[in-house]
Amino acid sequence: KSKGVQDLEPVSLLSDSLAKSTVKEIEQVADDVKKNRSKAGIKKAIVKNIPRHAVLKPLHAIYRLQNQCFALGDRVTMVQDSGGVPLSAKGVVIGLNTKSMDVVWDVPFMSGTTLGDR
């Protein structure tokens, strides 16, 4: 099936994203992992003797992590406690823009979007 120029989605020249089929596969794997996960498999760990300055406070994340660079397919964790994404949610980077990135999160949440059905 061929598409005309008018059927293509306009994007910035500086943006990069994974193919729609790859995004679907990532979503399927995340759904399978969530479905097969059991509470018995989760272990609690107590971390001792960690200096206070070595722990990242969610409030400080916006200032301390400004220069991070991400690539397509990177696994990420939400460390900021403000905004629509739950704290400590994990996901995969599927799109990069000049000032933002698109992430498929492992868990659904109220303020999430479908990213234009990608």
Side-chain angles (χ1 to χ4, degrees):
K1 181 176 164 180
S2 64
K3 290 186 174 185
V5 174
Q6 293 151 345
D7 296 330
L8 296 175
E9 180 182 345
V11 294
S12 168
L13 292 174
L14 302 174
S15 69
D16 195 12
S17 64
L18 294 175
K20 195 173 191 174
S21 60
T22 306
V23 173
K24 290 284 184 199
E25 289 180 37
I26 291 171
E27 288 175 342
Q28 185 63 42
V29 169
D31 290 343
D32 291 344
V33 168
K34 183 181 172 196
K35 185 172 37 172
N36 296 330
R37 186 175 18 188
S38 68
K39 295 269 186 188
I42 299 173
K43 296 180 182 178
K44 289 186 178 182
I46 297 175
V47 181
K48 295 182 180 179
N49 299 325
I50 300 295
R52 178 176 248 180
H53 66 275
V55 179
L56 177 67
K57 291 182 181 179
L59 183 63
H60 298 165
I62 193 168
Y63 305 109
R64 299 196 56 148
L65 304 177
Q66 283 181 358
N67 297 324
Q68 279 191 316
C69 296
F70 297 98
L72 294 177
D74 280 354
R75 191 86 172 128
V76 294
T77 301
M78 183 61 163
V79 295
Q80 196 173 353
D81 61 354
S82 60
V85 181
L87 181 64
S88 77
K90 293 176 178 42
V92 177
V93 177
I94 62 160
L96 295 169
N97 300 309
T98 54
K99 296 280 184 186
S100 64
M101 64 183 182
D102 297 331
V103 177
V104 172
W105 298 102
D106 294 352
V107 293
F109 48 91
M110 291 299 289
S111 63
T113 67
T114 62
L115 299 173
D117 276 339
R118 278 200 289 170

